[in-house]
Amino acid sequence: MTEGGFRLLFGSGPVDLLVISPHPDDAEIGMGGTMALLAQRGRRVGILDLTDGEPTPVGDPPRRLQEAREAAEVLGVCWRGCLGLRNRAVVPDLEARWLLAGWIRRLRPRTVALPYWVDYHPDHVAGAQLGEAACFWARLSRSDIPGEPHRVQRIVYYYSIHLRDAHRPAFLVDISKTVATKLAALRCYRSQLDPAVRGPDVPVTAEDLEVAARYWGWLARTTHAEPFALRTPLLLKDPLATF
Ligand SMILES: [Zn+2]
């Protein structure tokens, strides 16, 4: 198998957290505030877009790459790449799994973030399945996947704009200190989220996402938060901090 479709936007590995984003902007919509917070605290954060997100009504591939690069730089992300799968046609097949497992091996993240597994967009559902399968493959010995075997310690799931399907989140991250950075990153996606550029069919704006973050923050008695799901419960290593 070959890796001809991959594009490096910038940076180098390894990373502590790898956020797998079906389209450029999903990562920022779901967890831009959390990525900014972790980057500010010295964690190495990477974003791997599965597709370039095109076609869309007013976008084009060079413009989308530029927007994704700008947004990642605003957040303080240290690496961003595009796997080169086909937009609107992401399938969790063996070739895609092999490609993604190779990047997990090279980047060696402790934690991988995936889109929540229930979603209206088929690419997001496929992205969750593909990400889980690739984490499994990345740890296998005696395979033809590039790089050394690597075991991801935890998978977390962020939510897309199709939040109406969301179950109750497993935890919230307080982003009150980085919500402004999240909004600044979202505003880089002019071709997708700016009604003045995209027109009246814009699916969501940065302002809408600020309201969503304020709702989750209100639940937790802070100003802004981002919700996450888990398949397996979190272990509290130090229960004294919680009880
Ligand atoms: Zn998407």
Side-chain angles (χ1 to χ4, degrees):
M1 284 181 263
T2 64
E3 301 184 74
F6 176 81
R7 292 278 301 268
L8 177 67
L9 276 70
F10 66 86
S12 60
V15 299
D16 300 303
L17 165 67
L18 180 63
V19 182
I20 293 173
S21 189
H23 315 103
D25 76 13
D26 290 322
E28 289 88 346
I29 287 170
M31 54 182 292
T34 302
M35 287 192 285
L37 187 65
L38 292 170
Q40 285 176 13
R41 302 282 284 272
R43 292 295 168 96
R44 294 180 58 81
V45 179
I47 302 173
L48 179 56
D49 301 310
L50 296 179
T51 74
D52 69 1
E54 285 302 304
T56 56
V58 300
D60 59 68
R63 184 175 195 173
R64 296 298 297 276
L65 283 173
Q66 182 57 29
E67 291 175 350
R69 193 179 290 117
E70 283 177 30
E73 284 168 0
V74 166
L75 295 174
V77 164
C78 67
W79 185 92
R80 188 164 201 157
C82 179
L83 197 59
L85 303 183
R86 200 152 62 86
N87 184 38
R88 304 173 175 171
V90 175
V91 178
D93 61 16
L94 295 181
E95 183 172 2
R97 189 191 299 174
W98 184 91
L99 287 171
L100 183 52
W103 280 103
I104 291 169
R105 285 183 167 202
R106 273 170 282 213
L107 293 166
R108 313 196 77 70
R110 181 173 182 276
T111 303
V112 166
L114 300 176
Y116 183 58
W117 57 87
V118 178
D119 195 288
Y120 188 54
H121 197 314
D123 285 357
H124 295 185
V125 177
Q129 292 174 351
L130 174 59
E132 289 172 1
C135 287
F136 188 87
W137 262 21
R139 72 188 193 197
L140 298 179
S141 61
R142 305 182 75 179
S143 76
D144 67 348
I145 300 163
E148 291 299 309
H150 175 70
R151 187 177 290 266
V152 172
Q153 299 294 316
R154 176 163 291 283
I155 300 175
V156 302
Y157 299 84
Y158 63 88
Y159 293 96
S160 83
I161 57 172
H162 309 297
L163 203 58
R164 61 180 175 272
D165 292 331
H167 299 174
R168 207 177 157 77
F171 64 92
L172 302 171
V173 173
D174 184 345
I175 61 160
S176 50
K177 292 190 170 62
T178 53
V179 65
T181 308
K182 171 176 180 154
L183 297 179
L186 290 169
R187 290 194 181 101
C188 296
Y189 290 100
R190 294 172 291 280
S191 73
Q192 305 303 304
L193 307 179
D194 183 349
V197 178
R198 169 106 180 212
D201 86 323
V202 66
V204 69
T205 66
E207 290 68 34
D208 296 333
L209 294 161
E210 192 271 336
V211 171
R214 210 169 343 137
Y215 166 75
W216 293 112
W218 171 74
L219 281 183
R221 299 295 180 264
T222 184
T223 61
H224 296 85
E226 284 173 339
F228 290 86
L230 295 170
R231 293 237 200 227
T232 52
L234 263 185
L235 175 68
L236 297 181
K237 289 241 166 88
D238 177 11
L240 292 179
T242 301
F243 290 90

